Amino acid sequence: MDRLSTNLRLLVYNWLKNARLRWAPGACVLCRAAAPPGRDLCAGCLEDLPRPGAGCERCALPLPGTPAAHLCGRCIRRPPAFDRVVAAFEYAGPVAWLVQQMKFRRRLALATLLGGLLAERVAADLAAAPECLVPVPMHAARLRARGFDQALELARPVARRLRIPIDRRLCRRVRHTRPQSSLPLAERGPNVRGAFAAAAGAAPQHVAIVDDVVTSAGTVDELARALRGAGARRIEVWTLARAVPHH
Ligand SMILES: [Zn+2]
Ligand SMILES: [Zn+2]
């Protein structure tokens, strides 16, 4: 038994050592080529990251082959509480890998890199800056278990670059919900209903929610509903990646 646990410890140790060696500072996180200073991603890999094509102007659901300024069926039937979703990337290929590395291996430097890319995307068509950023709040129990709040860590570089304050007190997660990704699409709305609370009149007119991945948009819709109830009038969702929900 002792020997087994020693072996296990060695295995974990070696794996950690290799993981660290694989990612040297100044090298691209995807291909290890030289990367520009301050950004751990080379120009070629940046170019190859999947960008969203034509999509719903409200929720950014991909709608291939449709002209711009279109709404998806769901947004027509039941308009969400947010006004628009801005997604830097499609949740696919290297973007999916980077997000998983950031979340489950707590690679904070990746959040800085990805948050910087989100800031660039948002700055490209920002007509009026929101008064504050609201990272999707994580329940305290999950934060303790994971030790890493990905929405907050992504929001930090965005806040720095665009000079918009982060407001973490505006909205709280009052209910511990099951991870949306573990549920079929039909159960995701009910799962997050009533999950957030904000004090009446506390929200500024214009806010931007920050999240890592938007899939069914159930979570950000519920958060937007709470913010609207608290007085927000224009609510944007800035997400690193947009995933296509599967039924
Ligand atoms: Zn590269
Ligand atoms: Zn839509």
Side-chain angles (χ1 to χ4, degrees):
M1 188 66 199
D2 265 2
R3 194 163 157 190
L4 182 72
S5 71
T6 306
N7 283 341
L8 196 69
R9 221 173 295 144
L10 259 176
L11 201 73
V12 170
Y13 172 75
N14 282 329
W15 177 82
L16 282 171
K17 203 172 67 178
N18 287 333
R20 207 170 313 146
L21 283 178
R22 269 203 300 273
W23 191 31
C28 174
V29 289
L30 291 173
C31 75
R32 282 184 272 170
R39 171 189 278 169
D40 305 312
L41 196 64
C42 76
C45 286
L46 177 61
E47 187 69 29
D48 287 344
L49 296 183
R51 316 257 168 183
C56 172
E57 61 174 1
R58 191 90 183 247
C59 75
L61 180 80
L63 299 170
T66 56
H70 247 71
L71 287 172
C72 73
R74 232 176 112 209
C75 287
I76 292 170
R77 282 194 306 275
R78 209 173 65 89
F82 52 77
D83 294 285
R84 70 162 186 163
V85 172
V86 181
F89 302 105
E90 221 178 280
Y91 187 73
V95 171
W97 185 82
L98 288 167
V99 169
Q100 283 157 19
Q101 290 284 309
M102 169 186 75
K103 273 162 91 158
F104 302 112
R105 299 219 182 144
R106 304 175 194 180
R107 282 167 67 167
L108 204 60
L110 277 185
T112 308
L113 167 71
L114 297 173
L117 295 174
L118 174 58
E120 278 171 32
R121 167 65 189 86
V122 168
D125 75 296
L126 189 64
E131 288 151 87
C132 72
L133 302 181
V134 179
V136 171
M138 196 181 243
H139 193 274
R142 183 160 305 147
L143 182 59
R144 271 197 301 275
R146 187 177 281 174
F148 181 77
D149 184 340
Q150 71 270 6
L152 173 64
E153 297 306 334
L154 279 175
R156 289 191 206 278
V158 179
R160 269 198 302 275
R161 185 82 58 94
L162 303 177
R163 297 171 194 278
I164 303 171
I166 295 174
D167 195 334
R168 296 173 67 189
R169 298 211 187 114
L170 195 51
C171 230
R172 288 175 308 123
R173 195 182 271 261
V174 289
R175 213 156 56 69
H176 190 37
T177 56
R178 285 180 293 160
Q180 291 283 83
S181 55
S182 69
L183 297 171
L185 207 57
E187 288 174 30
R188 294 186 185 187
N191 182 47
V192 289
R193 204 144 295 150
F196 303 102
Q205 290 276 311
H206 185 182
V207 303
I209 293 168
V210 178
D211 205 359
D212 57 342
V213 183
V214 167
T215 306
S216 72
T219 303
V220 288
D221 188 22
E222 195 59 29
L223 180 54
R225 209 170 296 283
L227 288 166
R228 211 166 272 282
R233 286 295 157 262
R234 176 159 178 81
I235 303 166
E236 305 192 28
V237 177
W238 296 351
T239 182
L240 181 70
R242 182 66 163 97
V244 180
H246 295 286
H247 293 268

